[in-house]
């Protein structure tokens, strides 16, 4: 057992210092020539080279296998080899946990596919790709809090279990402790939720927005950052059943302030990661470049990962109305050659293929679309003077499609009540929401950013299952 305190590998590699003693602990990534260990402790993407004495005990050498955990005491010295400035000359090596090379699936020689790694998601953190992805994810989360904190927003923890359907889309997971096979029933045969744990029918939340609005009516600016759940049966590379959402809500903001806030926010978190995760991004950029090479020319991205991120920071997003978007689509060669799968006409919900055309082919930059038809949007969005459209805004990002959905809220009680009636939303159950419009209502606006879609964008990964540690998708809740 070592008596020394552990030093993180990142710290050793960052300092340009040699000739001092350290203890390091980590997992063996590779062991070559019975002499060189590449050790990783997750603090950074780079491995630390450990040089072992050639006369080390044979039995011990056998136990230094890929995946084994070790503790090493030694001297930091200038490296003789290429690829690193410093290395450790080991004076003492202890195996903390053996790892059978015949069973451990992550051998250093072969690069496993992302699909295979999803099946062993409990081990995939130990690869370079997932190390980089989850360090970037962490930085993004930290940057989210820093952005809002620096601007005086109050972080609100909105409930996970709720009785309301914020988006009115009905795609909710029920939360119940009633016996599923034999629930108590009312005379008409329906389930008697009065007997249930909360004395009513409850669900996992699809959004923290409605509660965030309540808090914004006191703190002026608040945000939520929590898990949200959607039981939509969308098996796509962009949908999760459990995902994290960031939802700022700001009193006195209109739709234009809302757009400005969203742009500033997205630029800030990207800039933060460029500054703080440079090595991880270099690795991910390289990975993406290799992946792109496998694709046919026409489908390849025009920019490298870092270039793309710099571009987003430096250029204003395009702002268009829904009506303009429809006209662009109708004028497009793709539409004229009948190459869109879904029809285009005023009133449709934009499909992923339409969003991607606008962003990737037409504007070649992020686009904010405003003024959607009221019939395809949620009840709480503010009705525009035309009586047909609402003050909604979706931000569409290259390679992703919708990354943000938001709106100015309907602050006028009469309008809101009329809209709820039209959409069959029970006003009595939502008395608390309507009270905000009764007691000192103000114009206000907010949006929701899908955190995993942001992580996808920044890491250049292409499947949302690869940017959340343990994805929840239809027919899959392993780990
Ligand atoms: O557009 P959405 O449904 O908006 C809301 O929930 C509003 N209450 C937000 C607000 O105004 N406060 O969802 C917001 C974002 C989407 O733009 C998308 O990025 C992400 O959440 N999102 C998903 N991400 C992963 N998997 C899913 N199934 C998602 N559904 C939405
Ligand atoms: Mg949306």
């Amino acid at each position: 057992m070592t008596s020394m305190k552990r030093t993180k590998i990142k710290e050793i590699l960052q300092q340009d210092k040699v000739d001092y003693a350290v203890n390091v602990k980590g997992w063996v990534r590779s062991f070559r020539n019975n002499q060189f260990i590449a050790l990783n402790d997750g603090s950074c993407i780079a491995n630390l080279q450990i040089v072992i004495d050639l006369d080390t005990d044979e039995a011990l050498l056998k136990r230094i296998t890929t995946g084994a955990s070790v503790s090493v005491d030694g001297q930091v010295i200038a490296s003789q080899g290429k690829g690193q400035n410093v290395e450790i000359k080991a004076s003492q090596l202890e195996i903390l946990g053996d790892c059978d090379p015949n069973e451990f699936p992550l051998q250093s020689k072969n690069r496993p596919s992302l699909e295979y790694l999803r099946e062993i998601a409990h081990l995939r953190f130990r690869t370079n790709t997932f190390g980089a992805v989850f360090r970037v994810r962490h930085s993004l989360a930290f940057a989210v809090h820093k952005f809002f904190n620096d601007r005086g927003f109050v972080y609100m923890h909105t409930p996970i279990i709720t009785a309301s359907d914020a988006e009115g889309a009905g795609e909710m997971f029920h939360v119940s402790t009633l016996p599923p096979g034999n629930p108590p029933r009312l005379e008409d045969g329906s389930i008697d939720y009065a007997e249930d744990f909360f004395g009513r029918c409850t669900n996992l939340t699809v959004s923290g927005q409605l509660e965030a609005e309540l808090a914004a009516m006191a703190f002026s600016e608040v945000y939520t950052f929590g898990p949200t759940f959607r039981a939509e049966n969308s098996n796509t590379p962009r949908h999760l059943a459990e995902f994290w959402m960031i939802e700022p809500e700001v009193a006195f903001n209109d739709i234009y302030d809302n757009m400005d806030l969203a742009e500033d926010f997205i630029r800030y978190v990207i800039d933060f990661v460029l500054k703080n995760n440079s090595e991880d991004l270099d690795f991910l950029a390289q990975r993406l470049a290799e992946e792109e090479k496998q694709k046919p020319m026409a489908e390849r991205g025009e920019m490298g990962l870092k270039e793309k991120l710099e571009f987003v920071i430096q250029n204003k997003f395009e702002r268009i109305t829904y009506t303009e978007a429809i006209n662009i689509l109708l004028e497009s060669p793709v539409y004229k050659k009948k190459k869109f799968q879904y029809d285009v006409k005023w009133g449709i919900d934009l499909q992923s293929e339409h969003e991607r055309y606008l962003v990737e082919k037409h504007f070649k930059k992020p686009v904010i679309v405003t003024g959607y038809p009221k019939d395809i949007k949620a009840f709480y969005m503010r009705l525009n003077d035309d009586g047909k459209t609402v003050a909604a805004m979706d931000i569409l990002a290259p390679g992703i499609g919708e990354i943000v959905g938001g709106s100015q809220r309907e602050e006028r009680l009469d309008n809101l009540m009329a809209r709820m009636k039209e959409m069959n939303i029970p006003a009595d159950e939502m008395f608390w929401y309507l009270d905000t419009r009764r007691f000192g209502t103000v114009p206000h606006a907010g949006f929701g950013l899908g955190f995993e879609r942001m992580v996808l964008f920044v890491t250049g990964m292409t499947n949302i299952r690869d940017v959340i540690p343990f994805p929840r998708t239809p027919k899959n809740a392993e780990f």
Side-chain angles (χ1 to χ4, degrees), residues 167 230 349 355 376-377 380-381 393-394 402-406 448 453:
E167 293 304 298
R230 296 200 184 173
D349 206 354
E355 296 178 344
I376 57 169
K377 288 291 184 189
Y380 52 70
M381 296 190 181
M393 58 169 232
D394 277 8
E402 182 190 334
I403 193 164
V404 163
R453 293 197 183 169

Side-chain angles (χ1 to χ4, degrees), residues 166-167 206-209 230 232 238-241 243 245-249 380 394-395 402-407 409 446-453 464:
E167 293 304 298
V206 295
S207 157
Q209 177 196 324
R230 296 200 184 173
E232 50 188 335
R238 314 262 176 271
H239 288 88
L240 290 165
F243 63 100
M245 190 162 32
I246 296 127
E247 296 182 275
E249 192 67 39
Y380 52 70
D394 277 8
I395 303 186
E402 182 190 334
I403 193 164
V404 163
S407 61
R409 317 308 187 188
F447 62 83
L449 173 97
F451 187 56
E452 285 74 21
R453 293 197 183 169
I464 201 160

Side-chain angles (χ1 to χ4, degrees), residues 1-298:
M1 280 283 275
T2 179
S3 55
M4 269 193 274
K5 203 166 166 292
R6 177 171 81 97
T7 303
K8 287 199 179 218
I9 289 175
K10 181 178 181 176
E11 211 176 294
I12 295 169
L13 293 176
Q14 261 175 2
Q15 289 175 357
D16 228 6
K17 227 172 79 180
V18 288
D19 299 328
Y20 62 105
V22 289
N23 167 266
V24 290
K25 295 186 173 81
W27 293 266
V28 175
R29 282 291 175 84
S30 68
F31 185 40
R32 112 188 122 75
N33 301 347
N34 264 346
Q35 204 189 0
F36 302 106
I37 301 176
L39 192 71
N40 194 285
D41 68 359
S43 59
C44 59
I45 192 149
N47 301 323
L48 178 64
Q49 174 152 292
I50 314 281
V51 188
I52 311 275
D53 255 343
L54 280 173
D55 53 11
T56 304
D57 176 47
E58 191 71 26
L60 183 62
L61 286 178
K62 279 221 171 75
R63 295 173 64 197
I64 306 175
T65 56
T66 297
S69 48
V70 298
S71 170
V72 180
D73 288 351
Q75 193 75 3
V76 180
I77 58 170
S79 178
Q80 317 295 310
K82 277 191 298 196
Q84 67 270 325
N85 294 328
V86 296
E87 62 191 23
I88 307 276
K89 191 172 160 18
S91 55
Q92 199 188 336
L93 183 141
E94 186 194 343
I95 306 281
L96 298 174
D98 289 289
C99 185
D100 184 346
N102 297 317
E103 292 195 22
F104 188 57
L106 297 173
Q107 296 303 327
S108 53
K109 278 143 241 122
N110 40 19
R111 190 185 251 205
S113 71
L114 293 174
E115 289 76 14
Y116 173 62
L117 288 171
R118 258 170 243 152
E119 291 169 19
I120 52 164
H122 58 305
L123 298 173
R124 67 180 178 170
F125 296 121
R126 297 200 206 180
T127 61
N128 283 335
T129 299
F130 288 94
V133 164
F134 290 112
R135 273 186 301 272
V136 168
R137 182 178 166 116
H138 160 78
S139 280
L140 278 170
F142 184 79
V144 166
H145 288 299
K146 184 154 170 51
F147 175 85
F148 288 118
N149 182 65
D150 288 354
R151 282 158 190 76
F153 283 62
V154 175
Y155 178 26
M156 271 304 141
H157 294 99
T158 50
I160 306 237
I161 300 174
T162 171
S164 70
D165 178 3
E167 293 304 298
E171 294 162 332
M172 295 179 300
F173 291 99
H174 287 296
V175 176
S176 173
T177 55
L178 295 177
N182 180 28
R185 293 190 186 272
L186 295 168
E187 269 168 21
D188 66 359
S190 63
I191 294 174
D192 182 8
Y193 285 107
E195 296 280 313
D196 205 348
F197 189 93
F198 296 106
R200 62 198 297 174
C201 181
T202 49
N203 310 296
L204 294 179
T205 188
V206 295
S207 157
Q209 177 196 324
L210 302 191
E211 290 89 353
E213 280 187 60
L214 312 180
M217 293 302 113
F219 298 98
S220 302
E221 34 260 314
V222 300
Y223 72 106
T224 70
F225 185 176
T228 46
F229 307 86
R230 296 200 184 173
E232 50 188 335
N233 206 353
S234 311
N235 230 329
T236 81
R238 314 262 176 271
H239 288 88
L240 290 165
E242 174 181 297
F243 63 100
W244 289 66
M245 190 162 32
I246 296 127
E247 296 182 275
E249 192 67 39
V250 184
F252 319 113
N253 265 11
D254 64 16
I255 189 75
Y256 301 100
D257 303 319
N258 206 32
M259 287 191 263
D260 292 343
L261 178 67
E263 270 198 52
D264 287 349
F265 170 54
I266 290 173
R267 287 211 188 84
Y268 178 90
V269 297
I270 292 177
D271 188 52
F272 187 91
V273 170
L274 278 169
K275 291 202 173 96
N276 290 280
N277 294 72
S278 176
E279 285 168 15
D280 289 322
L281 286 179
D282 283 337
F283 175 84
L284 291 166
Q286 172 85 30
R287 203 201 68 82
L288 183 65
E290 278 164 29
E291 200 178 83
E292 291 279 300
K293 271 191 227 145
Q294 313 292 321
K295 291 187 190 163
M297 270 298 194

